[in-house]
Amino acid sequence: STFGNGEPPEMSRPYNNKLAGIVERYQAGNEFTLSHMEFAKKIYFSTFGLGSSAYPKFAAFGQHLDTSYDILGFQRVLPFETGDELKDQRGSFNKWVKRLFMMSHKVLDVPAPTSYLESLSAKKRFKWTLSHKKQSKTLNECLSEFQWKSCTRFHISRRRQGTQGI
C-alpha cells in the first residue's frame, strides 16, 4: 500500500531501504550483488498496488516494488495492477488474485485443482431465492407483527401554496 506522498507504510520502510540499496548496487554493476542476485531469475512475482486516486502518487510504492523486482531479474507472472480505495478496491483485488492463481498454474506447469475449475463453470448458488407465492399479508400487517405495534398506513401529499404570502 502507498501512504502520503507515494511513501511505503511505516513497517515496510526498512525493507524498502534494503531493496533500494540492492537495486542501486545491481544497476551499478557491483559484482558481489550481481552474483548474489542470480537466484532472482528463478523467482516469480506479481504486484498489486493499493492506494487512493485522490492522491497524486497513486499506488506509487507498489509500482516502485514492481519496477525493482523487474530490474533485479525476477520473473513477472502478471502486469502490475492497482486497487483504488475510491473504486472497489476489494473487487479489483479479488479479480486480480483469481487471474494470478490461474496464471501461476500455467507458469509453473501445474494443473489447477479440478474442484476449482468446476466451480468456475458451475452455476452459482445464492442464499436468496425468488418466490412466486402470493403475499398473504399486507405490508402494514407484516410491520405490525414485526414491531409488535399497530401500524396505520398514511399518505403525505404536497400542500398547495396559495398566492398570499405568509
Side-chain angles (χ1 to χ4, degrees):
S1 63
T2 301
F3 286 87
N5 195 21
E7 298 165 6
E10 186 67 37
M11 66 186 273
S12 299
R13 288 183 183 165
Y15 174 77
N16 184 50
N17 292 338
K18 284 187 178 190
L19 179 63
I22 293 169
V23 169
E24 187 178 318
R25 290 189 302 274
Y26 187 86
Q27 288 180 314
N30 180 294
E31 289 191 31
F32 180 79
T33 304
L34 291 172
S35 66
H36 278 79
M37 290 308 297
E38 280 297 311
F39 77 94
K41 296 175 184 172
K42 299 175 186 173
I43 304 293
Y44 295 93
F45 82 100
S46 189
T47 312
F48 187 84
L50 301 174
S52 172
S53 59
Y55 294 92
K57 293 187 177 181
F58 168 60
F61 182 59
Q63 183 66 60
H64 165 72
L65 291 175
D66 188 78
T67 303
S68 297
Y69 299 148
D70 189 47
I71 289 169
L72 294 173
F74 289 69
Q75 302 298 307
R76 183 183 307 280
V77 176
L78 287 177
F80 175 70
E81 291 190 38
T82 60
D84 187 350
E85 75 174 353
L86 301 177
K87 298 177 186 168
D88 190 26
Q89 191 175 66
R90 185 179 301 232
S92 298
F93 178 77
N94 287 337
K95 289 176 187 173
W96 174 80
V97 82
K98 286 178 184 176
R99 285 194 307 276
L100 179 62
F101 179 75
M102 291 307 293
M103 187 57 87
S104 297
H105 283 88
K106 287 180 184 177
V107 167
L108 299 172
D109 197 25
V110 175
T114 53
S115 60
Y116 179 76
L117 295 174
E118 288 169 359
S119 73
L120 291 177
S121 60
K123 197 173 188 179
K124 303 291 183 207
R125 295 183 194 132
F126 297 98
K127 291 182 180 178
W128 306 100
T129 57
L130 294 176
S131 175
H132 298 291
K133 295 179 183 177
K134 270 191 160 182
Q135 192 175 11
S136 57
K137 296 179 183 177
T138 67
L139 178 60
N140 285 337
E141 290 170 333
C142 292
L143 287 171
S144 295
E145 188 177 303
F146 181 76
Q147 297 291 337
W148 296 357
K149 295 181 180 179
S150 177
C151 293
T152 306
R153 183 180 176 161
F154 66 95
H155 177 76
I156 300 176
S157 61
R158 234 184 238 178
R159 187 170 64 170
R160 284 187 166 192
Q161 292 185 351
T163 56
Q164 300 175 357
I166 298 180

